Structures are given as C-alpha cells and as structure tokens.
Amino acid sequence: QAVFDARAPRRRRRAGATGRPRAMGNEGRLVAEGMLVKVHFQTVRNDNGEILDSSRDRGAPLAFVCGAGAAGVLPGIDAGVRGMAVGEERSIPLPPEQGFGARDEERVTDIPLARLPKGVEPGQQLTIQGPRGPMKAIVMQVGKKAAILDFNHPLAGADLSMKVKVVGVEEAPPMEVVKETVTPGDGKAYPKARDELTVHYTGTLASSGEKFDSSHDRGTPLVFRVGLGKVIRGWDFGMTKLSLGERAILRIPAAMAYGERGCPPAI
C-alpha cells in the first residue's frame, strides 16, 4: 500500500507554487543534462512505417529531465534530444539497444496450463506472477498440458525511429520523491518500468493534511503500469522504491504531482 502526499503548494491551493522562481521563457535554450525538456514525438517502425505512438494523440507532450534515467523514457531519446533547441525537429534512430532491447529467446518458455487462466488462446496477453512481481507475456502456442509464452517486450528487437520536436526547455524543478516506510515489504520484488502494479492509496495535501482522494473509499485498488505516464510522475518515480507488500508515505513535490494546472476542485 502507498499513502502518498501530493505535496500541494501552500498558496491558495494552486499547484506549482513551490517558492522557487519560474523560468521566464525558454528561447535560445538548448537541451542539456539536468534540464526539463518537453517534446512532441511520433514513434515509427522502420520496417513497415507503422506509427506506434504519438504524443499528439495523447494530447500532451512528453516531459522528462534529461539524463535522469526517467522511467518510460527510452535511452535513445534521452541521448538524442541533447543539444536541440526549442522548435527544432529531429528524427532519432532507435536500434534495439536504444529502444526496447534485443529479443532473448530464453524469455520464451513453457508454462503448465494449471498455472494459467482457463481457456487461454494464442495471441492473448497474460500477466504472470514472477519472482520479482507481475510479468507480461504473449501466448504463442497452447498444447494439451502446457502453453508457450513469450516474455519479451512486443517491440524487443524492433528497429524504430522517433520523430521529435522540442517544445520546451527549462530549469528542472525539485524532482526528489521522499519515501518514509511505515511497514516494510519483502525487500526483494521492486517494480521496474512497464510492470503492472496494484496499490491502495490515500492522497493528502502537504500543507493541511486534508484528504483529497483514496482508493479505500472506493473499495477498489488502483491498477496501472509504472513508468508509462498513466499516473502522476511522482508515482512513476516513487513506486519503484517500494518492494512488494510495503506500506509507505511518498512525499511528492508539486512539479511531480499536479503542477501549475492542479486538479480541481481540491488542488
């Protein structure tokens, strides 16, 4: 379980009022390590031209701190945007080692049907509990007693490219997520990028302790994939610090929570 502190700002509940001066404009700035960069992107398979992902379809640019090793940011993108200026466009090649990695045939294995849901079919995606937590796999074949599962990322081994346009460069806000352990976990199974997590949480304002959200009130835990931007960035960073079963407080700065736009009406 994770009790997270959204670190809401103290002035009139407007997120982003952290007391640090805001950068005034970003014209002329170049992307460098430690800078907060925002890019619009389009990811393409080079073998057939298929568009796999697009920030414009998502409705918002991808934002990350260059060189910080942010979860969900491919190594080739982190390196490829360095030296770019606001407004500049570039096509960045993403060979497997800079993208989703090479295929590993040892990650294709037989799993007894007794360990799988009933009625599994080829092409179906499953979540299997592994030694380090949940793992995603694609069912390749189904036999009488076992099924062949592929635990490689679907894009492992693929030659990709990403078309990017830098739309913002500024000084990075405070990016530290502070964890305070309440109840230890197993100390072994820690989430990594793209793992599916199931968590219960309660969110409170740092300034007042007022609760603004809770999965307990809804009676249903939150399920999401870490590192894909499906939750606030503080969670994508902070959840990787928690091991299986751990209950902790995550103190998250506004820049990694709801930012200047907030989350009305509470934040």
Side-chain angles (χ1 to χ4, degrees):
Q1 293 181 326
V3 180
F4 77 96
D5 179 340
R7 230 1 151 185
R10 302 170 186 270
R11 285 192 312 185
R12 300 195 309 184
R13 287 190 179 177
R14 293 184 60 195
T18 59
R20 294 185 54 178
R22 293 181 59 194
M24 300 303 292
N26 52 28
E27 296 80 1
R29 293 197 177 198
L30 301 180
V31 178
E33 185 168 343
M35 302 292 287
L36 175 63
V37 57
K38 299 178 182 180
V39 300
H40 272 299
F41 70 88
Q42 185 180 75
T43 308
V44 179
R45 283 190 70 118
N46 291 335
D47 56 355
N48 59 15
E50 179 187 0
I51 297 174
L52 302 172
D53 196 6
S54 170
S55 61
R56 297 190 187 278
D57 290 344
R58 297 185 182 187
L62 172 67
F64 62 96
V65 176
C66 187
V73 178
L74 298 175
I77 298 306
D78 194 308
V81 297
R82 301 187 188 203
M84 294 181 66
V86 175
E88 185 177 352
E89 300 183 47
R90 180 181 295 176
S91 181
I92 300 174
L94 294 176
E97 62 271 17
Q98 294 295 316
F100 293 94
R103 276 192 60 81
D104 182 357
E105 294 306 321
E106 292 187 0
R107 294 178 62 83
V108 180
T109 185
D110 293 351
I111 302 292
L113 291 179
R115 293 179 52 191
L116 302 177
K118 293 183 179 180
V120 294
E121 299 178 352
Q124 185 177 352
Q125 186 179 67
L126 300 177
T127 300
I128 306 296
Q129 188 66 33
R132 296 187 60 189
M135 301 172 63
K136 289 293 184 180
I138 300 294
V139 180
M140 306 300 290
Q141 296 180 24
V142 178
K144 293 183 178 180
K145 295 184 178 181
I148 299 177
L149 270 58
D150 185 354
F151 287 90
N152 285 286
H153 188 281
L155 292 175
D159 186 31
L160 311 174
S161 61
M162 184 177 282
K163 301 175 182 177
V164 301
K165 179 178 181 179
V166 176
V167 295
V169 180
E170 59 190 77
E171 296 291 337
M175 299 295 286
E176 183 181 10
V177 176
V178 178
K179 183 192 80 168
E180 300 175 7
T181 297
V182 177
T183 305
D186 66 1
K188 298 178 181 179
Y190 288 89
K192 57 185 182 298
R194 297 180 177 82
D195 280 349
E196 184 176 271
L197 305 186
T198 301
V199 299
H200 265 301
Y201 69 91
T202 298
T204 60
L205 301 176
S207 57
S208 64
E210 179 185 350
K211 180 175 68 175
F212 61 84
D213 191 17
S214 174
S215 63
H216 297 283
D217 293 346
R218 292 189 292 273
T220 304
L222 176 67
V223 180
F224 68 98
R225 289 186 178 276
V226 70
L228 299 183
K230 302 299 183 181
V231 293
I232 59 174
R233 283 194 293 162
W235 271 40
D236 273 340
F237 279 84
M239 287 299 175
T240 60
K241 299 182 178 183
L242 276 65
S243 63
L244 184 65
E246 182 172 356
R247 184 171 182 265
I249 295 173
L250 295 180
R251 300 194 180 278
I252 302 174
M256 299 183 71
Y258 300 101
E260 297 180 359
R261 297 170 63 181
C263 184
I267 303 174

